[in-house]
Amino acid sequence: MASPFDADDVAVLFQAHLDEKIHSPQRDLLVVGGKPIDVQKIDPYTVRFTLAQAYAAAERIFDSLAMMPRHLLEKPYKQDKFASTWTLTTPAAEIAGLGPFRLKEYVPGQKIVLERNPYYWKADRSKNRLPYLDELVFLFVGNEDAQTIRFQAGDTDIISRFSAENYSLLSKEAASRGTELFDLGPSLEYNFLIFNLNDLGSKKSGQDCRQAGVVPGCEVSSSRVLCH
């Protein structure tokens, strides 16, 4: 059964993220000018956010925050059970969200099945309720080559982010298999490396690099990375 989403859900979400006991990885993003963002409910569907100072990237703050249901998570939050409420063993019926699909089944090491969310708010220009698909199945595959093999065998309908070698292989078979390959060009995605700059003491540089998650053959200091 669906429950309405309103300003109270938003307020509780930000309260939880800003609570230091929760150890939310998003908390630092919600502190601007040394002060937490102030969240104020104006009416059932309006929330005001007040920042301590001007912040050019303010809109990006909300990109990384998934809205969560108050009716399922507020009670565990007040009981200090927020972090353990939704786990890999939680039944799909006890998890809710605002997206076009909702969790139907999770099989560890095998697949995730999503089903159409009948309460999703968005519709197309003809006022047909979205999404169009009834179900999505994501298979867990060990590596890119195995992913390509599963696609060639007809086990999957879509494959993305593969190497030039596998692209060449699939392009040669596209006509005979009835598949299509599209180069979508540059995307808005980005990848980055995070270096552990903690003081690792007198340990050898090779050991330091492995612990810091740096490519072997690199030496890390507080200001530079040297590869050899």
Side-chain angles (χ1 to χ4, degrees), residues 4 10 17 42 77 87 113 123 151 193 200-201 208 225:
V10 178
H17 277 300
I42 304 301
Y77 166 61
T87 68
V113 181
F151 181 76
L193 296 175
L200 300 177
D208 292 350
V225 179

Side-chain angles (χ1 to χ4, degrees), residues 162-173 181:
F162 43 84
S163 66
E165 290 79 6
N166 283 325
Y167 177 85
S168 177
L169 174 64
L170 293 173
S171 62
K172 293 177 182 178
E173 303 176 347
L181 302 178

Side-chain angles (χ1 to χ4, degrees), residues 14 18-20 27-39 50-52:
F14 276 83
L18 287 167
D19 190 336
E20 293 185 276
R27 187 181 188 279
D28 288 346
L29 298 176
L30 305 179
V31 177
V32 178
K35 296 182 180 180
I37 293 176
D38 180 67
V39 182
T50 304
L51 284 64

Side-chain angles (χ1 to χ4, degrees), residues 4 29 65 157 228:
L29 298 176
L65 293 175
D157 299 303
H228 51 80

Side-chain angles (χ1 to χ4, degrees), residues 144-228:
E144 181 190 306
D145 289 340
Q147 183 180 5
T148 302
I149 292 173
R150 296 290 294 270
F151 181 76
Q152 289 176 305
D155 295 335
T156 59
D157 299 303
I158 299 175
I159 184 174
S160 64
R161 300 186 64 161
F162 43 84
S163 66
E165 290 79 6
N166 283 325
Y167 177 85
S168 177
L169 174 64
L170 293 173
S171 62
K172 293 177 182 178
E173 303 176 347
S176 61
R177 292 181 177 273
T179 59
E180 294 184 80
L181 302 178
F182 298 94
D183 182 357
L184 301 180
S187 73
L188 298 178
E189 294 185 7
Y190 55 87
N191 295 311
F192 54 89
L193 296 175
I194 299 177
F195 295 103
N196 183 354
L197 300 181
N198 293 329
D199 183 6
L200 300 177
S202 60
K203 298 177 182 179
K204 296 180 180 180
S205 62
Q207 184 178 0
D208 292 350
C209 290
R210 288 189 295 272
Q211 290 184 348
V214 181
V215 177
C218 296
E219 297 177 2
V220 181
S221 70
S222 60
S223 60
R224 60 182 179 175
V225 179
L226 299 177
C227 297
H228 51 80

Side-chain angles (χ1 to χ4, degrees), residues 61-86:
I61 292 175
F62 307 101
D63 289 353
S64 59
L65 293 175
M67 296 295 103
M68 296 183 290
R70 175 174 56 91
H71 70 286
L72 294 177
L73 297 177
E74 183 177 28
K75 183 177 179 180
Y77 166 61
K78 292 182 176 180
Q79 296 175 341
D80 293 328
K81 298 178 180 179
F82 185 81
S84 60
T85 300
W86 285 353

Side-chain angles (χ1 to χ4, degrees), residues 34-134:
K35 296 182 180 180
I37 293 176
D38 180 67
V39 182
Q40 181 182 1
K41 174 185 174 181
I42 304 301
D43 61 45
Y45 297 104
T46 306
V47 179
R48 176 185 292 138
F49 299 94
T50 304
L51 284 64
Q53 64 184 41
Y55 185 50
E59 291 182 352
R60 297 302 305 271
I61 292 175
F62 307 101
D63 289 353
S64 59
L65 293 175
M67 296 295 103
M68 296 183 290
R70 175 174 56 91
H71 70 286
L72 294 177
L73 297 177
E74 183 177 28
K75 183 177 179 180
Y77 166 61
K78 292 182 176 180
Q79 296 175 341
D80 293 328
K81 298 178 180 179
F82 185 81
S84 60
T85 300
W86 285 353
T87 68
L88 294 178
T89 59
T90 301
E94 297 179 14
I95 298 177
L98 296 175
F101 294 92
R102 61 187 182 185
L103 181 64
K104 178 181 180 181
E105 181 184 14
Y106 167 64
V107 182
Q110 297 184 35
K111 64 181 179 179
I112 290 180
V113 181
L114 304 180
E115 64 180 357
R116 183 178 182 274
N117 182 357
Y119 306 105
Y120 187 54
W121 60 274
K122 196 171 186 179
D124 64 15
R125 293 181 179 179
S126 300
K127 298 184 179 181
N128 296 310
R129 183 75 68 176
L130 298 176
Y132 299 123
L133 299 177
D134 293 323

